Amino acid sequence: MPRRLSLIERFAVIYLSVYFGLVGLQHVAFLFSSSPWWHQPASNTLYDLRDKWKTQQSTIAKGKRDALRPVGKPQMTMMRSSIFSSASVASLKDFHRNTNKSFAFYNCSIPGHHYTFPQVPQFIIVGAQKSGTTALYEFLQEHPQIHGTSVPETHFFDWHYPKGRDERNDFLKKYHQLSLDTNSNLTSDEWQCALRKTYSDFFTSSDADSPGTNDNDIPRDTVFVEKTPSYLFLAETPARILETCFWKPKVIVLLRNPIDRAVSHYRMNIDVKGRTFESLLDEEMASFKSIGLSHAPSRKEFNETTSEHLGFKDVPVLTAEEQKKLHWKHYRKTFTTNFLQRGMYIVQLDHWLEHFALHESIHVIHHERFLSDPSTVYQEVLKFMDLPSFEPGYTQHNVAKYALKRPLSQHTRMYLAAFFRPYNQLLAKRLGPEWEGVWDPWEG
Ligand SMILES: Nc1ncnc2c1ncn2[C@@H]1O[C@H](COP(=O)(O)OS(=O)(=O)O)[C@@H](OP(=O)(O)O)[C@H]1O
């Protein structure tokens, strides 16, 4: 006859059941939370999201890294050396050459806090949205030296970057528990320290109250990478990166046929809008009328059988300024539906080329080539990153779940091809002959 449990034993059984039940739930929640960002809560929950994922993701990432690390490779302990303290490193290459390390720890202070954290990142995948950025990021994360972020996309430099006094104060309060007026109470060095520390936390598992104490196990050859595909689209991002990062990180861009990109973009949000792809296109085109594309034919006016490149021949390509204007006017409203604007790659890339040199600091990848020959493209990326060769498992990531109700009509496809044509031609001029006519149905 089994013995009846005492009150204390019963309490212990209930406590343990509840505890393990909650842990199980948390794991299930985490599995779902690693789904793409559009299934995540709104942007101002950044801090909650980060806290939730940080611990779990870093444990998983560490386990994965340890499993992938070649047998026999020593697990180096990062020494926090004072020679790196507050070092401002202009060139990542010089730093690497001089120290033989991939990154250093950084020390800085704001009122009430002294922080030590790794200088991140060395590489950023900035877009374009729906161009295979998730697949590339996942393949890179499999590399034993590469460490990603604790959330799938930080969106640090677009949604969360604090602009203006109120947002900066809110940022300090939320993350650094500081109730200060940044404009009057913080020096610019302190403000930069707060920015850098917050960003760096996306890459580490360090606790805000005891910064850096969990970072001892980061091998010194670690290369940090983040990906947020909307960065390419935002003209402000490069300057924000340069303000926050310790050096000019190298930038990776994937570009996909803008028509397929637009359809993929629509399929990502199909459940949200309940509108047809064509009606959203027409709406976006109408919004262009106010800023320079007033002569462009509408989809209904467009005649794909004429030879004069289909009515778009004399339509001016939007300048960066015009696109910026449009962007600010419509960005929030059309975030999920700016199919045309997001495919004007040349306008976006030009913002980056003002700050980052093509080939040396920006590596641009042809999405379709990545899809058909992932291994060659991946090895080229590793070469650009100056990392040893590695073969990940080449699988599909982030494939669209929703199908178009009706396949894209030939008329709409040709309308889009004609619309994007002048932008693609300018892009080829900037990137080189291998980009000529790649997405052009009238070529070859
Ligand atoms: N291995 C590989 N190589 C190239 N492309 C791939 C790969 N795996 C997935 N995909 C396709 O990439 C599309 C999603 O792109 P992103 O991950 O950049 O989307 S997102 O901006 O992060 O939401 C998405 O396209 P659609 O399926 O047409 O939507 C994926 O199918």
Side-chain angles (χ1 to χ4, degrees):
M1 197 57 189
R3 180 173 71 80
R4 277 177 72 94
L5 297 178
S6 71
L7 200 61
I8 293 176
E9 284 167 334
R10 267 185 262 162
F11 178 76
V13 168
I14 292 169
Y15 177 84
L16 286 174
S17 312
V18 170
Y19 176 79
F20 284 114
L22 285 175
V23 169
L25 272 176
Q26 208 178 7
H27 279 276
V28 171
F30 171 66
L31 281 179
F32 285 104
S33 70
S34 57
S35 64
W37 61 262
W38 61 91
H39 290 155
Q40 294 160 14
S43 60
N44 54 7
T45 58
L46 162 74
Y47 303 98
D48 302 335
L49 284 176
R50 189 195 49 220
D51 289 341
K52 186 172 142 206
W53 279 325
K54 198 165 56 177
T55 320
Q56 292 157 324
Q57 186 81 9
S58 63
T59 311
I60 286 172
K62 184 175 178 307
K64 193 173 69 173
R65 284 168 53 74
D66 289 348
L68 286 164
R69 196 163 286 283
V71 181
K73 180 170 174 176
Q75 291 281 319
M76 284 189 268
T77 300
M78 169 53 81
M79 299 292 289
R80 257 182 226 127
S81 161
S82 57
I83 62 161
F84 299 129
S85 303
S86 303
S88 173
V89 185
S91 150
L92 181 56
K93 210 170 172 181
D94 288 347
F95 171 75
H96 188 62
R97 200 170 34 227
N98 295 338
T99 64
N100 209 20
K101 296 178 184 63
S102 296
F103 74 100
F105 275 92
Y106 182 75
N107 291 321
C108 65
S109 299
I110 60 173
H113 297 278
H114 182 75
Y115 293 133
T116 302
F117 51 92
Q119 299 184 340
V120 291
Q122 291 93 331
F123 297 92
I124 307 186
I125 301 172
V126 299
Q129 185 209 40
K130 308 314 298 175
S131 296
T133 58
T134 311
L136 179 62
Y137 176 70
E138 291 299 327
F139 299 169
L140 287 177
Q141 283 216 82
E142 288 183 37
H143 191 287
Q145 271 179 259
I146 297 178
H147 186 86
T149 47
S150 52
V151 290
E153 293 171 6
T154 74
H155 282 281
F156 186 77
F157 297 111
D158 56 353
W159 298 351
H160 305 301
Y161 199 82
K163 303 168 285 292
R165 200 168 87 172
D166 288 349
E167 284 190 25
R168 283 177 170 221
N169 290 341
D170 193 38
F171 179 90
L172 287 175
K173 199 164 168 189
K174 268 183 180 157
Y175 186 64
H176 300 275
Q177 297 84 47
L178 272 184
S179 289
L180 284 177
D181 184 328
T182 44
N183 282 20
S184 54
N185 295 100
L186 280 193
T187 64
S188 59
D189 279 356
E190 286 169 336
W191 169 243
Q192 196 179 39
C193 174
L195 261 185
R196 286 177 164 179
K197 164 66 180 155
T198 312
Y199 183 49
S200 177
D201 272 3
F202 281 105
F203 295 82
T204 65
S205 56
S206 67
D207 178 357
D209 294 330
S210 50
T213 50
N214 295 324
D215 294 332
N216 283 328
D217 59 352
I218 305 174
R220 65 182 54 204
D221 60 356
T222 300
V223 164
F224 293 92
V225 180
E226 91 126 311
K227 86 114 180 167
T228 298
S230 46
Y231 287 166
L232 178 69
F233 184 58
L234 275 179
E236 292 74 11
T237 320
R240 290 177 185 173
I241 287 175
L242 295 178
E243 185 191 4
T244 306
C245 295
F246 298 90
W247 37 52
K248 210 178 250 197
K250 288 195 173 188
V251 169
I252 298 168
V253 179
L254 288 119
L255 298 178
R256 180 179 187 176
N257 181 335
I259 304 174
D260 299 333
R261 198 220 66 80
V263 173
S264 169
H265 187 169
Y266 174 75
R267 291 173 71 193
M268 174 173 82
N269 297 312
I270 212 163
D271 55 333
V272 183
K273 284 284 164 189
R275 298 261 312 266
T276 66
F277 178 68
E278 288 79 3
S279 73
L280 291 165
L281 262 190
D282 294 346
E283 195 173 281
E284 191 182 357
M285 194 63 197
S287 76
F288 284 0
K289 298 273 178 191
S290 61
I291 54 150
L293 288 183
S294 51
H295 308 298
S298 69
R299 206 165 46 89
K300 287 195 178 72
E301 289 155 2
F302 172 72
N303 181 354
E304 76 202 67
T305 56
T306 61
S307 57
E308 288 296 305
H309 278 115
L310 319 161
F312 284 93
K313 190 169 67 87
D314 301 319
V315 174
V317 170
L318 284 189
T319 63
E321 265 319 297
E322 284 166 338
Q323 207 190 11
K324 199 164 155 186
K325 238 197 293 176
L326 191 72
H327 168 77
W328 285 119
K329 212 163 148 203
H330 297 279
Y331 182 53
R332 282 289 169 195
K333 210 170 101 199
T334 64
F335 181 75
T336 52
T337 58
N338 48 9
F339 308 137
L340 295 171
Q341 229 189 323
R342 292 229 183 201
M344 302 171 177
Y345 299 137
I346 182 62
V347 182
Q348 298 158 45
L349 204 58
D350 271 352
H351 299 137
W352 291 81
L353 292 173
E354 277 174 30
H355 304 274
F356 296 83
L358 188 61
H359 305 310
E360 195 187 318
S361 302
I362 297 195
H363 182 67
V364 186
I365 300 166
H366 196 281
H367 165 269
E368 291 77 5
R369 195 170 154 251
F370 179 47
L371 199 59
S372 62
D373 187 6
S375 176
T376 306
V377 171
Y378 185 72
Q379 297 311 325
E380 286 166 4
V381 173
L382 293 184
K383 200 163 163 222
F384 171 70
M385 298 172 93
D386 216 4
L387 284 175
S389 178
F390 175 81
E391 283 294 332
Y394 295 110
T395 45
Q396 301 288 294
H397 291 272
N398 202 7
V399 177
K401 294 187 190 73
Y402 306 103
L404 286 182
K405 286 197 181 89
R406 275 184 285 127
L408 205 59
S409 72
Q410 178 70 359
H411 178 259
T412 302
R413 183 163 271 279
M414 293 309 263
Y415 177 75
L416 286 172
F419 174 83
F420 285 124
R421 193 168 203 249
Y423 295 96
N424 294 342
Q425 285 169 341
L426 286 176
L427 184 75
K429 275 198 187 125
R430 197 77 84 249
L431 295 183
E434 67 274 23
W435 289 81
E436 267 166 32
V438 284
W439 300 313
D440 194 330
W442 297 282
E443 294 271 326

